[in-house]
Amino acid sequence: MKIAVVSITKHGIALAGRVVAALPGAQLFAPEKFRAEAKAAAPGAANSYAGKVGEQVPALFAAFDGIVAIVSLGAVVRLIAPHLKGKEVDPAVVVVDEAGRFAIPVLSGHLGGANRLAGHLAAVLGAQAVLTTASDARETIGVDLLGRELGWTFEATHDELVRVSAAMVNDEPVALVQEAGSPDWWPNHANGRNGPLPANVTRFAKLEEVDVGRYAAVLWISERAMPASYAAQLAGRCVIYRP
């Protein structure tokens, strides 16, 4: 990820230097009046700007995959609100307080990687990552992220993703059928998972082993086409993954 680290105060810039050091290739952005402090905090990665920080947001959104803002949460919400387009395209935004106690994903926490970025910063700074995305907070399966780190793609409509995700986070019974692909997707999933699979998930080796009427949703990892006999039964409540 290309990361911009933004700070608008003298003390915040000192912390920003630690953040830049923890993120290879990150760039620090600070007001012109703190040019010297920024250069000292992030040698070779410091940028200063004239005018208001809000004027920098469009360029930062366009040029970076993620933004770490050492700015108050409320201010960041107001600054980025006019520029939001959608979770598929908006950059990850994480707010860190000046004391370095909390790393808070504000935007694109799930798909954009802000949750993972916050977790990394929390480890580096000795801070607490404040995750509010249900699948990450509860360390369950993020349906639209399963296998992404392994290059898998998925087939599902928006409505199917919503319905299956709801079944997952609401502890409804979910069948996970893996017929192909690496079995190591769980520790690599989203922000990484260390514990067992969620209790509401039952694993199967073949789709034909599943009594589909017993499950609210099905996650099917396979290289074959959906059998016609199952297509109608699983309509609206299945996500297909292609390794």
Side-chain angles (χ1 to χ4, degrees), residues 13-235:
I13 289 170
L15 176 61
R18 295 172 59 195
V19 173
V20 169
L23 301 171
Q27 294 288 311
L28 171 59
F29 292 83
E32 177 65 34
K33 65 180 179 180
F34 295 129
R35 175 192 289 266
E37 289 83 354
K39 286 186 174 181
N47 304 270
S48 56
Y49 58 85
K52 298 179 178 180
V53 64
E55 297 168 354
Q56 316 308 313
V57 173
L60 294 176
F61 263 46
F64 292 92
D65 304 310
I67 299 171
V68 178
I70 305 174
V71 183
S72 77
L73 177 59
V76 169
V77 169
R78 292 184 180 89
L79 289 170
I80 66 175
H83 309 286
L84 305 186
K85 296 179 180 178
K87 63 181 181 179
E88 294 83 5
V89 296
D90 291 335
V93 177
V94 176
V95 164
V96 177
D97 64 294
E98 278 200 11
R101 293 175 297 182
F102 301 101
I104 310 170
V106 178
L107 184 66
S108 297
H110 191 56
L111 284 178
N115 289 354
R116 169 171 286 189
L117 179 57
H120 176 66
L121 292 177
V124 170
L125 301 175
Q128 173 67 51
V130 183
L131 305 184
T132 57
T133 303
S135 59
D136 286 325
R138 299 182 61 247
E139 295 198 343
T140 189
I141 296 174
V143 171
D144 49 358
L145 294 181
L146 197 160
R148 186 167 79 164
E149 288 85 352
L150 300 174
W152 299 3
T153 57
F154 68 82
E155 300 171 5
T157 65
H158 174 76
D159 288 345
E160 287 168 335
L161 283 175
V162 170
R163 181 173 176 180
V164 174
S165 295
M168 185 65 65
V169 300
N170 289 319
D171 296 328
E172 297 179 56
V174 175
L176 187 145
V177 185
Q178 184 161 12
E179 300 178 349
S182 169
D184 296 328
W185 57 266
W186 180 244
N188 293 316
H189 179 68
N191 295 320
R193 307 297 196 225
N194 297 316
L197 278 174
N200 64 315
V201 175
T202 303
R203 298 191 73 156
F204 296 91
K206 291 288 183 181
L207 184 62
E208 287 76 10
E209 297 175 0
V210 182
D211 180 355
V212 296
R214 297 180 56 191
Y215 295 92
V218 173
L219 309 179
W220 187 41
I221 308 165
S222 181
E223 295 176 346
R224 61 185 173 127
M226 172 71 72
S229 59
Y230 281 86
Q233 296 181 69
L234 294 175

